[in-house]
């Protein structure tokens, strides 16, 4: 199984802050890395696929980068609606998710 | 518009069985890989099972192999998850998810249902 380790597991930030979340894979997964946003009581929502392709309707303040074993999700200017939990997911072999990063209001 | 609606969750005793259903609309289910993903209360996401278009291939996470069976019904445009020998650790919200290929042919979970809660407890 390919393990994904997200860091940090939680963070506190203010509106307008730049936020970066890291996802590390236990082996190389090329660019087969997706990011999801989940709000309490709701299903996850796909934000970014293939490391850096923004899904339709997702604000441009979200961006993704990386390859191989290290990936990042960046929110350039945090907005009130961005407070949520973020998960990375690899699709190189079957599917596994990272443990999640909860973004809370500071 | 794509919609996925799960049903069939509930309370079941350890060792019991339950079948989850997922009604799809807005697309033809048999044209896509489909998956079940679960989330235990207060925990992260866990992929459970995949089924290829037309059911020719099926894959499962190790912890449910031999106990869970994923299947589809193209006439009903529906996905199912038969769960047997249920354990307390199977307690979770189960999501029906469409898997599609994006840019660079990277598979991603692009549409999710609202989820159905399965509670395994005596």
């Amino acid at each position: 199984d390919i393990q994904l380790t997200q860091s940090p597991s939680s963070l506190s930030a203010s509106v307008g802050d730049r936020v970066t979340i890291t996802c590390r894979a236990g082996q190389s997964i090329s660019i087969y890395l997706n990011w999801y946003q989940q709000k309490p009581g709701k299903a996850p929502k796909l934000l970014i696929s293939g490391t850096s392709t923004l899904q339709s309707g997702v604000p441009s303040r979200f961006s993704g980068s990386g390859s191989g074993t290290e990936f990042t999700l960046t929110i350039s200017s945090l907005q009130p609606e961005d407070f949520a939990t973020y998960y990375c997911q690899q699709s190189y072999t079957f599917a596994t998710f990272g443990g999640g990063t909860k973004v809370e209001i500071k | 518009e794509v919609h996925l609606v799960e049903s069939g969750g509930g309370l079941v005793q350890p060792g019991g069985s339950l079948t989850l259903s997922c009604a799809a609309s807005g697309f033809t289910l048999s044209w896509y890989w489909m998956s079940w993903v679960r989330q235990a209360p207060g925990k992260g996401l866990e992929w459970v099972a995949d089924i290829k278009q037309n059911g020719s291939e099926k894959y499962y996470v190790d912890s449910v192999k031999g106990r869970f069976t994923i299947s589809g019904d193209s006439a009903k445009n529906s996905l199912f998850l038969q769960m047997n020998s249920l354990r307390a650790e199977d307690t979770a919200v189960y999501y029906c998810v469409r898997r599609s290929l994006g840019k660079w042919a990277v598979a991603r979970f692009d549409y999710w249902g609202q989820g159905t809660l399965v509670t395994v407890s005596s």
Side-chain angles (χ1 to χ4, degrees), chain B residues 20-81:
Chain B
L20 306 183
S21 301
C22 171
S25 60
F27 72 103
T28 301
L29 188 140
S30 61
W31 291 359
Y32 290 83
W33 282 79
M34 293 295 296
S35 304
W36 288 96
V37 173
R38 67 184 178 184
Q39 186 169 36
K43 302 296 184 184
L45 300 166
E46 180 183 38
W47 167 76
V48 174
D50 273 352
I51 184 168
K52 191 177 179 181
Q53 299 96 328
N54 295 319
S56 56
E57 295 177 31
K58 301 177 183 182
Y59 301 96
Y60 302 90
V61 68
D62 284 348
S63 59
V64 308
K65 281 180 184 174
R67 300 189 299 123
F68 288 13
T69 302
I70 187 171
S71 63
D73 184 330
S74 56
K76 296 181 179 179
N77 213 38
S78 293
L79 181 72
F80 304 97
L81 186 66

Side-chain angles (χ1 to χ4, degrees), chain A residues 54-74:
Chain A
L54 208 62
Q55 298 310 292
S56 176
V58 175
S60 59
R61 61 182 179 272
F62 290 91
S63 64
S65 64
S67 69
T69 60
E70 188 151 337
F71 303 85
T72 58
L73 171 69
T74 299

